[in-house]
Amino acid sequence: MEDQESFLAGYDPRKYPSVAVTVDVVALTIRTGTLCVLLVERGAQPFAGQRALPGGFVKSETLDDAALREFAEETGLTPGRGELDRVHLEQLKTYGNPGRDPRMRVVSVAYLAFAPSLPEPTAGSDAARAYWVPVDEAKDLAFDHDDVLADGLERARSKLEYTPLATAFVAEEFTVGELRQVYGCVWGEELHAGNFHRKVLSVPGFVESTGRTTSRGGERGGPKAKLYRAGDATLLHPALLRPTREDRVR
Amino acid sequence: MEDQESFLAGYDPRKYPSVAVTVDVVALTIRTGTLCVLLVERGAQPFAGQRALPGGFVKSETLDDAALREFAEETGLTPGRGELDRVHLEQLKTYGNPGRDPRMRVVSVAYLAFAPSLPEPTAGSDAARAYWVPVDEAKDLAFDHDDVLADGLERARSKLEYTPLATAFVAEEFTVGELRQVYGCVWGEELHAGNFHRKVLSVPGFVESTGRTTSRGGERGGPKAKLYRAGDATLLHPALLRPTREDRVR
DNA sequence: ACAATAGTGTCTGTAAGACATTATTCC
DNA sequence: GGAATAATGTCTTACAGACACTATTGT
């Protein structure tokens, strides 16, 4: 067997069959009650005209930085102004099957990004070709991006259960009802308002009260709601488990 | 911004600063009641004399296949004879910080392997330089492998909670006591025998009875134990949660 | 007035953890 | 006999889910 050190000792980068490393980003947000993913339109072959996850080559930077850079470029958000501070970014999985890109060997490190509701990337900016698409309509993506998106969604749904991730989808101050909307549209099912309310407040460190309320009630009636901000918990205990699906088990 | 397709259209692999892609394997097993990881001794610089996780370059194969190949090479197990069938392998995380390898940019896809107790790789084989080390003694590894190992251990501990992964550490037929030993030494704390017993049997699909028992009782006394094999569940419901640590939450 | 929503109260079934108990085996 | 272990039983507390109910707002 050829081990790493002996290989590298005699390694000439210019002879070796090249492998390209990219990052792809599954960026999720909630717009008007619908879970959406950021997609770009491909102009060139292969997969011309199809949609794909935003991504690009890794430069002289960490993988995390590359993912954040791609996200910022495509959304038009600018670093350094705090706009990206509330974006949660985590590594998802790496995809490297030979043939996933027909031109060459490409190993892609996929990231998952969670953002509060953002404006549509404005035409005229660098990011004009990117837009938010409801996840239900994001099909037939280029490369193996259907799989990447599916893995990202499953990760997101799972992380809502045992982390305070849902707070990354709402504004800095939010109501319990808004939080319930997040769970509802990420999990794809309505949750019982009363039980959800009691449960959220019973998890230590999930949310903390601001002492204030919304200035108005709901659009279609209802009292003013108390405002909360994210607490200091990094894990929810006890967890908020999804309604049991027996078919998820086997 | 330079997008993927325009980049690739004008891409000449021989000009581009090369990035190497490797796989590293965190292979875990339990030997005489201790959780052990497979390490190799490095002969050459950098990190000569230090220990490292087994790993190597990805060839014309999937990332999963590369990880399985590395695992097989280092343990001396041979594919095709069923020896590898009971090895559970899953992708862990990808490490690509610039500078993690002093010689060049190396992006490493780490894998996690779970195996039942295996013999020490025999001297004389290709794998003579690999050996099992108790995880508590696996420190000061080469590259960023301390971090990789730590991430792998946390993943393993977490996966014991909600998947039947523990059955990958024991023989095809096992007792509830053996399963409890797995949880105990991976989590690093003893579990209450009675409660554990009742709980394991109450999770649908975790274990199924073989109808048989061990031929003898325990070494220091005790009745013969019933033998079980792994059930068909892929997720444990309800989960077997670790004893609550408040300090894990924040 | 009416509909919608926020928030609370109550009840039931399930599960976790602490602990006790019985039975079986090795030494 | 004595120690260790397998397996089961009991009790208490906590939590999930179903549901009812009150209070407050917008239209």
Side-chain angles (χ1 to χ4, degrees):
Chain A
M1 173 228 156
E2 186 170 43
D3 63 24
Q4 182 166 329
E5 51 271 33
S6 66
F7 185 100
L8 279 175
Y11 181 75
D12 176 359
R14 310 174 72 94
K15 286 189 313 194
Y16 197 72
S18 68
V19 180
V21 177
T22 64
V23 291
D24 290 323
V25 180
V26 179
L28 301 178
T29 195
I30 292 174
R31 295 167 64 86
T32 62
T34 306
L35 184 64
C36 295
V37 60
L38 190 69
L39 296 182
V40 300
E41 188 96 28
R42 286 186 58 82
Q45 291 295 342
F47 303 107
Q50 266 177 266
R51 296 174 300 185
L53 298 172
F57 282 82
V58 175
K59 306 181 179 177
S60 294
E61 60 199 343
T62 67
L63 298 174
D64 289 6
D65 287 344
L68 188 62
R69 176 177 54 76
E70 289 294 337
F71 177 81
E73 285 173 359
E74 301 293 355
T75 55
L77 297 186
T78 49
R81 286 205 320 213
E83 294 176 315
L84 293 172
D85 292 354
R86 299 204 63 250
V87 176
H88 174 94
L89 200 71
E90 66 176 55
Q91 195 183 301
L92 174 60
K93 190 181 165 184
T94 297
Y95 301 81
N97 278 1
R100 63 180 291 277
D101 187 310
R103 292 160 298 185
M104 64 181 298
R105 184 77 189 262
V106 177
V107 170
S108 175
V109 184
Y111 275 77
L112 198 49
F114 305 97
S117 190
L118 294 174
E120 194 77 48
T122 48
S125 80
D126 276 359
R129 64 206 182 85
Y131 44 90
W132 295 102
V133 176
V135 293
D136 293 340
E137 302 166 16
K139 298 180 193 305
D140 301 316
L141 304 184
F143 307 105
D144 50 5
H145 289 182
D146 283 332
D147 295 332
V148 180
L149 175 58
D151 290 344
L153 288 175
E154 177 50 34
R155 171 81 68 91
R157 288 177 181 132
S158 168
K159 284 215 117 182
L160 283 198
E161 295 189 317
Y162 56 92
T163 75
L165 179 65
T167 58
F169 283 110
V170 292
E172 199 143 2
E173 298 198 348
F174 52 87
T175 68
V176 175
E178 288 164 353
L179 207 56
R180 176 166 46 82
Q181 281 250 341
V182 172
Y183 278 88
C185 73
V186 174
W187 284 348
E189 53 195 307
E190 291 310 304
L191 299 179
H192 187 284
N195 288 340
F196 182 86
H197 196 101
R198 177 165 32 77
K199 193 159 178 172
V200 164
L201 296 186
S202 78
V203 177
F206 189 6
V207 299
E208 64 184 37
S209 175
T210 64
R212 307 193 299 138
T213 70
T214 52
S215 53
R216 311 186 6 127
E219 308 240 332
R220 287 167 296 187
K224 295 170 182 171
K226 292 180 187 168
L227 283 170
Y228 298 87
R229 56 176 156 260
D232 61 351
T234 57
L235 287 174
L236 302 185
H237 186 81
L240 282 83
L241 299 179
R242 275 174 278 190
T244 310
R245 293 224 180 291
E246 286 305 328
D247 51 305
R248 272 180 50 225
V249 172
R250 291 195 178 79
Chain B
M1 175 225 152
E2 186 168 45
D3 62 23
Q4 182 166 332
E5 51 272 32
S6 67
F7 186 99
L8 278 175
Y11 181 74
D12 176 359
R14 309 174 73 94
K15 286 189 311 195
Y16 198 73
S18 68
V19 180
V21 177
T22 64
V23 291
D24 289 324
V25 180
V26 179
L28 301 178
T29 196
I30 293 173
R31 296 167 63 85
T32 61
T34 305
L35 184 63
C36 295
V37 60
L38 189 69
L39 295 182
V40 299
E41 189 96 27
R42 287 184 58 83
Q45 291 296 342
F47 303 109
Q50 266 177 266
R51 297 173 300 184
L53 298 172
F57 281 82
V58 175
K59 304 181 180 177
S60 295
E61 62 199 341
T62 67
L63 299 173
D64 289 6
D65 287 344
L68 187 62
R69 175 176 55 76
E70 289 294 337
F71 176 80
E73 286 173 359
E74 301 293 355
T75 55
L77 296 186
T78 50
R81 288 203 321 212
E83 293 176 316
L84 293 172
D85 292 354
R86 299 204 64 251
V87 176
H88 174 94
L89 200 71
E90 67 176 54
Q91 194 183 301
L92 174 59
K93 191 181 165 185
T94 296
Y95 301 80
N97 278 2
R100 62 180 290 279
D101 187 311
R103 292 160 298 186
M104 64 180 298
R105 184 77 189 262
V106 177
V107 170
S108 176
V109 184
Y111 274 77
L112 197 49
F114 305 97
S117 188
L118 294 174
E120 195 77 48
T122 48
S125 80
D126 277 358
R129 65 205 181 86
Y131 43 89
W132 295 104
V133 176
V135 293
D136 293 340
E137 301 167 16
K139 299 181 193 302
D140 301 315
L141 305 184
F143 307 106
D144 51 4
H145 288 183
D146 283 333
D147 295 332
V148 181
L149 175 57
D151 290 344
L153 288 175
E154 177 49 33
R155 172 81 68 93
R157 288 175 181 133
S158 168
K159 284 215 118 184
L160 283 198
E161 296 188 317
Y162 56 94
T163 74
L165 179 65
T167 59
F169 284 110
V170 292
E172 197 144 4
E173 297 197 350
F174 53 86
T175 68
V176 175
E178 287 165 352
L179 207 56
R180 177 167 45 83
Q181 281 251 340
V182 171
Y183 277 89
C185 73
V186 174
W187 284 349
E189 54 195 307
E190 292 310 304
L191 300 178
H192 186 284
N195 289 341
F196 181 86
H197 196 100
R198 177 167 32 79
K199 191 159 181 173
V200 165
L201 297 187
S202 76
V203 177
F206 191 5
V207 300
E208 65 186 37
S209 175
T210 64
R212 307 191 300 138
T213 70
T214 52
S215 54
R216 308 185 9 123
E219 308 238 334
R220 287 167 296 186
K224 296 170 182 170
K226 292 180 186 167
L227 283 169
Y228 298 86
R229 57 175 155 262
D232 61 352
T234 57
L235 287 174
L236 302 185
H237 186 80
L240 282 83
L241 298 179
R242 274 174 279 190
T244 310
R245 293 221 178 294
E246 286 306 327
D247 50 305
R248 271 179 50 226
V249 173
R250 293 196 178 79

